[in-house]
Amino acid sequence: DRRREVLAAGSPIQPIIKDVGEIYSRLLDHRPVIQGEIRYFVKEFEEKRGLRELRVLENLKNTIFETNEHVLPKCEQAMHDNLSEAFKRLQAANDMIHRVQEREHEERKLQVDKLVAREEKRIAHWEEFMKEQQNKRAEVDEEHRKAMERLKEQYSEMEKELAKYVAF
């Protein structure tokens, strides 16, 4: 590079090199333009947007303060009151359900007791019925035995009489 500068310093090419450098910087070197645009953007952003952001943050701070100081305690109190009332209602409903369950349990127990009593009564009737049937069977068997004896006696008498007639 120094050799070129030394050679170009004393020669008529120097104005041409200077012109080429200017053309290059204007056409191809965009750094100065971009830096200017960046400075302009930052300046506009800080001036216009900065105050607006500050106002938005201040409004948010006020809203949060108001919420913490006023709205939140009211909400907590309303929630506490409503939850207390709901809890009382739930306890009352739970007590009612418990009483209903106790009544149903007692009714079931009574029904089971009635069923057991009926079953015992039915078993007693059945046993009595079976005893009666055995007694009746015994009576019928006795009558049958007596009838068989009578018939045997009758047939033996008939045989005796028949034996009298056969001897003739």
Side-chain angles (χ1 to χ4, degrees):
D1 289 334
R2 286 188 168 197
R3 284 184 194 171
R4 288 183 190 166
E5 288 177 11
V6 171
L7 290 175
S11 70
I13 300 181
Q14 185 171 358
I16 294 172
I17 293 174
K18 187 176 180 184
D19 287 340
V20 169
E22 282 182 33
I23 291 171
Y24 170 78
S25 66
R26 285 186 181 180
L27 292 178
L28 302 174
D29 190 14
H30 301 294
R31 282 181 275 157
V33 174
I34 291 173
Q35 287 176 353
E37 288 295 321
I38 290 172
R39 276 189 237 113
Y40 176 75
F41 178 77
V42 169
K43 179 181 164 191
E44 287 293 314
F45 184 81
E46 287 177 350
E47 288 177 1
K48 292 181 181 176
R49 181 100 175 161
L51 295 177
R52 185 170 54 191
E53 293 295 324
L54 188 62
R55 284 193 305 266
V56 168
L57 289 174
E58 187 67 32
N59 288 341
L60 283 174
K61 183 182 117 188
N62 291 337
T63 304
I64 290 171
F65 179 76
E66 183 179 333
T67 301
N68 284 339
E69 293 296 318
H70 302 291
V71 175
L72 189 61
K74 286 179 185 177
C75 288
E76 285 178 351
Q77 185 61 36
M79 185 175 63
H80 180 67
D81 294 343
N82 290 335
L83 285 177
S84 296
E85 185 176 335
F87 184 70
K88 288 176 185 175
R89 288 182 179 182
L90 285 174
Q91 280 182 329
N94 193 21
D95 292 341
M96 292 168 111
I97 289 171
H98 186 48
R99 284 192 301 259
V100 167
Q101 284 178 335
E102 284 179 2
R103 276 190 237 139
E104 286 179 357
H105 180 69
E106 289 172 5
E107 287 176 10
R108 283 186 192 143
K109 188 176 178 182
L110 288 174
Q111 289 176 354
V112 167
D113 291 344
K114 286 179 183 179
L115 285 174
V116 168
R118 286 180 193 158
E119 184 68 19
E120 290 173 356
K121 191 175 180 180
R122 187 191 61 78
I123 289 172
H125 283 301
W126 181 256
E127 289 175 357
E128 185 179 328
F129 174 76
M130 291 305 288
K131 284 180 185 177
E132 285 178 23
Q133 292 301 316
Q134 286 177 351
N135 291 338
K136 286 180 181 180
R137 188 177 80 188
E139 288 175 12
V140 169
D141 286 345
E142 184 64 28
E143 284 180 28
H144 181 267
R145 189 184 60 74
K146 286 179 183 178
M148 290 290 288
E149 283 181 21
R150 274 184 277 144
L151 283 174
K152 279 184 184 179
E153 286 177 17
Q154 185 180 355
Y155 281 125
S156 67
E157 282 180 27
M158 288 171 81
E159 269 184 30
K160 287 180 188 175
E161 283 194 28
L162 206 88
K164 289 183 195 174
Y165 295 116
V166 174
F168 288 115

